[in-house]
């Protein structure tokens, strides 16, 4: 690009408005527009035209106005104020604009010092012109839509039933101890809901807890109301009618309890509320499925029945900020070229977030309206601000790069817990923002095609029904994730390989093949020894380790270690999880070794396969003086990383039963997550005979014990 034009942004400009009259010396508008296209390569968001900035007319000063150029037809477009009642956008042949104000104001694009950009793309870097789905006529689109609706309803029922079952197993006292129920509440009176039925108002007793943000109570939630030593009809099903800290108003859902009996019971003791279900996200998914089903192009994409197109912008300046490696730049080119959807496969440590940041910045500076979405608030905020603090922005985040690019950012929804996002973006107006960030659920607030592109991070953890919300409000999708790691969460007990449970990312790969996914291959996270097993086992040798990571160590400790512990597993108090004291002792010993080698507690992560072991490890590490070490489940650690990670697999028994760790589909994906969180040292603690042997109640086809057996051989345990 010519340096004089570096600072011009289409996001700060408007389409030229006016009437055309021949009052100037004619110039070659087609050639001038061609030069602008080659120098800037700014493609109009609507497609089919390029943006041509206008000069002042009498000198080479760029203004904040532009016209559109269709190179294949040699036509120029603007908003003609003389056309119709209030004007309209229209195109004319470039020759017809030669002596008009448009010609006068594009004349400086004929200068000799304008330098065309050079895309310099090899054939390997270019996406295919079109990808056709497998057997499109064999897919019944109506059946696909019906299956997705049924799946959402099944998930809704399963989540409510599962929460009720978990509460029944724990009981009120254990739920309070674990912080899984809200309260105590005191009864303050009755009122009438919008249907005229009696509703009961409670007031939170004690601290200033936010009932929405901290306790997760929202209007419409289905809850269980319970009390210590309360009457026999407790716990009681209830629906939250309103939630305004410190008050919550509910209506009972048990028809057998009369209002007087309930009021008397509430006056006798403090009450506690346990959320069973928030129905809002499920209804949003159903609404999105219905909306997508009503649009032919969107329905066909959701069902995978139509070809997907790619058009490379031959005049684009693909020199993004932040800088990208060759694989990341290739992904940006594919994302820009996609007309419908593209998948960016980002294995651990390959710079997926950096790539998306560069693409979002590029697309927004090209005048495209961009939605950044993910399935969780944490993932959305990570893409928006990265590791930024209030006083120190992450230099590679959208937060840091937006000012330089002159972009406005806004965060939809009020559930962020990130201080930077809350301070800078949570209260910014959504209308007119160049980039809007939202969860997939919160994106339901936007109208159809409000955005030119919807970028979905961690897309492999979002169900097709959740991603349908983004599909409804965006013209095209850029899906980024890793389908070799954990799939979307499912509350129901269906086969997790079923299409309805799969992410849209994975479903599209099944329909269009791996050519739809552009891979990021160069990993910057793990020592080469840590990366070796997952690279061969899960990624077919796709990953390349940079020179820096090949020599990363903590003191003299080897980067990879396996510890074989044969210790009895135990069922926890509620009977729905496990712990293992012998493995807990081994984990504490490994943490002590890491600390003795100079690693801070913040640099250590401890992963346990079961929540029962998480609780035991937090207790044991706290007793040993390491209460500030992060301990969590494999699922909770997905997306995270630490200098060193210690993993406890927990299961140890004569039946070789490893539970969900052994499931043939999810088991390897969950193991992959556990193996790819550490940078410099990874310690794997387990009973390798239990893990590596098919359980007595399973067949080899029902087990992934062979993967653990290969890992044990790799570790030499």
């Amino acid at each position: 690009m010519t340096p004089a034009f570096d600072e011009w942004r289409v996001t700060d400009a408007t389409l030229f408005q006016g009437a055309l009259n021949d009052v100037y010396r004619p110039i070659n508008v087609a050639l001038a527009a061609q030069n602008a296209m080659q120098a800037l390569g700014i493609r109009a968001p609507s497609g089919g035209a390029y943006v041509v900035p206008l000069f002042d007319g009498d000198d080479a000063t760029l203004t904040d106005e532009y016209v559109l150029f269709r190179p294949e037809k040699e036509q120029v477009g603007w908003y003609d104020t003389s056309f119709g009642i209030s004007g309209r956008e229209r195109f004319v042949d470039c020759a017809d604009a030669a002596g008009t104000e448009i010609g006068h104001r594009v004349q400086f694009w004929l200068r000799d010092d304008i330098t065309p950009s050079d895309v310099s793309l090899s054939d390997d870097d270019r996406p295919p012109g079109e990808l056709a789905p497998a057997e499109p006529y064999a897919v019944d689109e109506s059946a696909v839509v019906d299956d997705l609706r049924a799946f959402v309803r099944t998930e809704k029922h399963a989540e409510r039933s599962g929460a009720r079952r978990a509460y029944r197993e724990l009981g009120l006292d254990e739920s309070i101890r674990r912080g899984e129920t809200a309260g105590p509440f005191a009864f303050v009176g009755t009122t009438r809901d919008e249907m005229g039925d009696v509703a009961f108002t409670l007031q939170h007793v004690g601290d200033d807890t936010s009932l929405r943000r901290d306790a997760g109570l929202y209007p419409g939630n289905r809850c269980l109301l319970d009390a210590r030593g309360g009457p026999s009809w407790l716990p009681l099903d209830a629906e939250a009618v309103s939630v305004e800290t410190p008050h919550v108003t509910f209506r009972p859902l048990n028809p057998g309890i009369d209002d007087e009996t309930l009021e008397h019971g509430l006056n006798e003791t403090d009450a506690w509320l346990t959320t069973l279900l928030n129905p809002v996200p499920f209804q949003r998914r159903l609404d999105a499925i219905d909306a997508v089903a009503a649009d032919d192009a969107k329905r066909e994409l959701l069902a995978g029945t139509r070809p997907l197109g790619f058009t490379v912008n031959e005049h684009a300046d693909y020199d993004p900020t932040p800088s990208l490696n060759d694989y990341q730049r290739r992904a940006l080119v594919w994302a820009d070229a996609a007309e419908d959807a593209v998948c960016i496969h980002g294995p651990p440590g390959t710079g997926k977030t950096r790539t998306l940041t560069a693409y979002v910045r590029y697309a927004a500076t090209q005048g495209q309206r961009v939605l950044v979405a993910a399935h969780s608030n944490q993932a959305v905020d990570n893409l928006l601000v990265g590791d930024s603090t209030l006083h120190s922005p992450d230099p590679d985040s959208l937060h840091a790069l937006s000012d330089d690019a002159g972009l406005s950012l806004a965060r939809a929804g009020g559930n962020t817990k990130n201080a930077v996002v809350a301070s800078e973006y949570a209260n910014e107006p959504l209308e007119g923002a160049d980039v809007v960030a939202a969860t997939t659920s919160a994106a339901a607030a936007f109208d159809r095609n409000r955005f030119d592109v919807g970028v979905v991070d961690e897309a492999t953890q979002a169900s097709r029904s959740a991603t349908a919300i983004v599909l409804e409000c965006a013209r095209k999708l850029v899906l980024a994730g890793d389908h070799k790691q954990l799939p979307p969460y499912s509350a129901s007990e269906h086969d997790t390989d079923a299409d309805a449970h799969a992410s849209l990312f994975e479903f599209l790969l099944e329909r269009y093949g791996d050519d739809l996914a552009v891979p990021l291959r160069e990993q910057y996270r793990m020592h080469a020894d840590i990366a070796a097993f997952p690279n061969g086992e899960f990624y077919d040798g796709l990953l390349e380790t940079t020179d820096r990571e090949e020599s990363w160590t903590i003191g003299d400790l080897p980067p990879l270690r396996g510890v074989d512990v044969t210790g009895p597993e135990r069922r926890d108090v509620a009977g729905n999880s496990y712990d293992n004291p012998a493995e807990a002792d081994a984990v504490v010993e490994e943490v002590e070794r890491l600390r003795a080698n100079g690693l801070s507690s913040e640099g250590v992560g401890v992963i346990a396969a079961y929540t029962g072991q998480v609780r035991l490890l937090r207790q044991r590490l706290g007793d040993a003086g390491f209460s500030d070490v992060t301990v969590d489940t494999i699922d909770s650690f997905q997306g995270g990383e630490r200098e060193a990670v210690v993993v406890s697999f927990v299961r140890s028994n004569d039946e070789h039963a490893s539970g969900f760790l052994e499931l043939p589909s999810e088991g390897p994906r969950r193991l992959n997550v556990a193996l790819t969180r550490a940078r410099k040292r990874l310690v794997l603690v387990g009973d390798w005979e239990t893990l590596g042997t098919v359980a007595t109640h399973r067949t080899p086809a029902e087990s992934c014990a062979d993967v653990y057996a290969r890992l044990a051989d790799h570790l030499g345990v």
Side-chain angles (χ1 to χ4, degrees):
M1 183 187 299
T2 302
F5 309 130
D6 281 351
E7 301 304 317
W8 194 88
R9 297 283 183 267
V10 68
T11 51
D12 300 325
T14 58
L15 184 64
F16 169 69
Q17 298 187 25
L20 296 191
N21 297 296
D22 288 320
V23 294
Y24 295 99
R25 176 178 60 86
I27 67 115
N28 190 336
V29 171
L31 180 58
Q34 185 83 21
N35 288 348
M37 179 184 71
Q38 292 177 347
L40 299 179
I42 303 176
R43 190 159 49 188
S46 57
Y50 286 83
V51 171
V52 178
L54 296 181
F55 293 94
D56 183 68
D58 296 322
D59 59 51
T61 301
L62 282 175
T63 69
D64 59 359
E65 292 181 292
Y66 64 89
V67 292
L68 299 173
F69 176 55
R70 290 174 175 168
E72 74 284 355
K73 297 181 179 179
E74 291 199 350
Q75 291 180 333
V76 64
W78 80 108
Y79 192 89
D80 187 350
T81 56
S82 68
F83 198 91
I85 297 176
S86 58
R88 56 168 287 186
E89 182 180 311
R90 60 188 294 250
F91 283 80
V92 298
D93 291 342
C94 288
D96 293 336
T100 68
E101 183 176 354
I102 290 178
H104 183 59
R105 295 180 64 183
V106 301
Q107 62 178 307
F108 288 99
W109 286 112
L110 296 173
R111 294 184 335 186
D112 293 336
D113 63 343
I114 294 176
T115 305
S117 61
D118 182 8
V119 178
S120 300
L121 294 179
S122 69
D123 289 341
D124 290 339
D125 287 338
R126 292 174 176 273
E130 183 178 276
L131 279 175
E135 300 180 341
Y137 300 109
V139 176
D140 184 336
E141 293 175 5
S142 297
V144 169
V145 170
D146 288 344
D147 286 347
L148 287 175
R149 291 191 185 107
F151 168 69
V152 173
R153 295 188 180 102
T154 300
E155 285 287 287
K156 179 180 177 181
H157 175 76
E159 184 160 316
R160 185 173 182 175
S161 298
R164 184 188 303 277
R165 183 169 57 252
Y167 181 82
R168 187 166 55 244
E169 292 172 346
L170 289 177
L172 177 59
D173 287 337
E174 183 65 16
S175 293
I176 294 173
R177 189 183 72 81
R178 295 187 183 185
E180 296 179 5
T181 191
F185 292 95
F187 175 64
V188 295
T190 61
T191 185
R192 294 279 176 177
D193 64 18
E194 60 184 15
M195 302 298 294
D197 297 326
V198 175
F200 298 79
T201 300
L202 307 174
Q203 179 172 324
H204 187 251
V205 179
D207 57 33
D208 57 354
T209 296
S210 167
L211 296 181
R212 296 193 183 204
R213 184 187 66 248
D214 301 324
L217 287 172
Y218 294 92
N221 277 18
R222 305 301 191 267
C223 305
L224 281 179
L225 181 139
D226 208 349
R228 288 187 171 115
S232 59
W233 42 263
L234 291 176
L236 177 78
D237 281 86
E239 178 184 357
V241 175
S242 69
V243 180
E244 297 296 339
T245 301
H247 298 103
V248 56
T249 300
F250 73 90
R251 64 182 182 90
L253 299 178
N254 291 43
I257 306 300
D258 62 77
D259 297 339
E260 184 177 344
T261 299
L262 177 54
E263 182 173 343
H264 176 74
L266 291 172
N267 273 315
E268 292 296 314
T269 183
D270 287 341
W272 299 77
L273 287 171
T274 302
T275 295
L276 298 179
L277 175 74
N278 180 357
V280 172
F282 297 96
Q283 189 57 52
R284 288 174 175 173
R285 293 169 201 171
L286 289 171
D287 291 344
I289 292 170
D290 291 344
V292 167
D295 181 283
D296 291 346
K298 292 181 183 292
R299 183 185 65 251
E300 290 164 359
L301 177 58
L302 188 66
T305 58
R306 67 177 173 89
L308 304 182
F310 294 85
T311 302
V312 173
N313 184 352
E314 301 292 348
H315 309 288
D317 181 19
Y318 291 122
D319 185 18
T321 301
S323 60
L324 302 179
N325 66 35
D326 290 343
Y327 299 116
Q328 295 165 343
R329 180 173 179 265
R330 180 171 178 256
L332 185 147
V333 172
W334 281 48
D336 184 49
E339 298 171 1
D340 310 286
V342 69
C343 298
I344 298 176
H345 180 202
T350 54
K352 172 172 59 67
T353 300
R354 184 184 185 90
T355 304
L356 292 183
T357 297
Y359 170 69
V360 170
R361 182 185 185 278
Y362 171 82
T365 56
Q366 297 291 301
Q368 299 182 48
R369 299 165 299 172
V370 182
L371 171 66
V372 170
H375 71 291
S376 70
N377 285 289
Q378 182 179 349
V380 172
D381 293 342
N382 180 61
L383 188 52
L384 195 57
V385 302
D387 294 326
S388 299
T389 66
L390 287 172
H391 305 293
S392 178
D394 180 341
D396 293 333
S397 67
L398 286 169
H399 171 56
L401 297 172
S402 58
D403 285 344
D404 157 62
L407 300 177
S408 57
L409 312 180
R411 173 68 153 85
N415 294 326
T416 181
K417 294 184 178 180
N418 184 288
V420 179
V421 174
S423 172
E424 300 289 335
Y425 305 114
N427 296 313
E428 289 297 304
L430 303 179
E431 192 65 37
D434 299 309
V435 179
V436 174
T439 61
T440 51
S441 182
F446 302 118
D447 295 334
R448 171 171 293 171
N449 293 339
R450 160 79 177 275
F451 301 95
D452 297 302
V453 57
V455 177
V456 184
D457 195 12
E458 306 295 355
T460 49
Q461 293 185 63
S463 67
R464 283 168 69 198
S465 54
T467 310
I469 299 175
V470 182
L471 174 60
E472 167 60 11
C473 66
R475 296 181 184 278
K476 81 171 187 179
L477 296 179
V478 175
L479 307 176
D482 184 3
H483 55 297
K484 303 296 184 180
Q485 301 219 348
L486 286 174
Y489 166 76
S490 175
S492 62
E493 298 181 357
H494 286 310
D495 176 9
T496 54
D497 287 331
D499 282 345
H501 285 254
S503 65
L504 182 60
F505 183 111
E506 197 163 0
F507 175 78
L508 291 178
L509 293 192
E510 292 177 1
R511 295 293 302 135
Y512 296 92
D514 290 340
D515 285 344
L516 182 60
V518 53
L520 307 179
R521 300 186 58 181
E522 195 166 347
Q523 73 89 11
Y524 299 87
R525 176 184 296 173
M526 299 168 280
H527 186 286
D529 290 356
I530 298 174
F533 183 82
N535 189 25
E537 185 72 29
F538 308 121
Y539 296 107
D540 299 322
L542 178 78
L543 302 182
E544 301 171 2
T545 298
T546 63
D547 293 340
R548 181 187 67 171
E549 283 69 35
E550 288 180 352
S551 59
W552 271 12
T553 58
I554 297 173
D556 295 328
L557 299 176
L560 185 63
R561 181 171 187 243
V563 179
D564 190 23
V565 176
T566 305
E569 63 186 37
R570 306 183 309 188
R571 282 268 193 177
D572 77 351
V573 63
N576 60 354
S577 191
Y578 293 87
D579 65 21
N580 188 316
E583 284 194 22
D585 291 340
V587 169
V588 172
E589 183 179 332
E590 291 297 331
V591 172
E592 290 174 339
R593 182 174 291 113
L594 289 165
R595 295 290 282 112
N597 276 266
L599 191 60
S600 67
S601 294
E602 292 77 14
V604 180
V606 174
I607 297 176
Y610 285 83
T611 55
Q613 185 77 340
V614 169
R615 289 189 288 271
L616 178 61
L617 283 169
R618 286 174 178 168
Q619 175 189 329
R620 293 285 183 88
L621 287 167
D623 293 343
F626 304 125
S627 58
D628 49 354
V629 169
T630 299
V631 184
D632 223 323
T633 60
I634 297 174
D635 297 47
S636 296
F637 250 97
Q638 177 150 323
E641 57 185 89
R642 293 291 189 279
E643 295 293 286
V645 170
V646 183
V647 181
S648 172
F649 291 104
V650 184
R651 302 305 301 269
S652 179
N653 53 74
D654 294 336
E655 294 77 27
H656 306 126
S658 299
F660 60 79
L661 295 176
E662 195 179 355
L663 295 175
S665 176
E666 279 195 37
R669 295 169 73 152
R670 184 166 274 108
L671 176 61
N672 186 19
V673 173
L675 298 183
T676 53
R677 303 302 99 197
R679 299 188 189 106
K680 300 179 180 178
R681 180 166 166 85
L682 174 64
V683 181
L684 304 174
V685 179
D687 181 340
W688 294 98
E689 182 178 354
T690 293
L691 295 169
T693 306
V694 178
T696 55
H697 65 284
R698 296 184 185 273
T699 66
E702 298 169 330
S703 169
C704 68
D706 59 316
V707 178
Y708 282 92
R710 287 192 291 275
L711 177 57
D713 289 343
H714 182 79
L715 295 170
V717 294

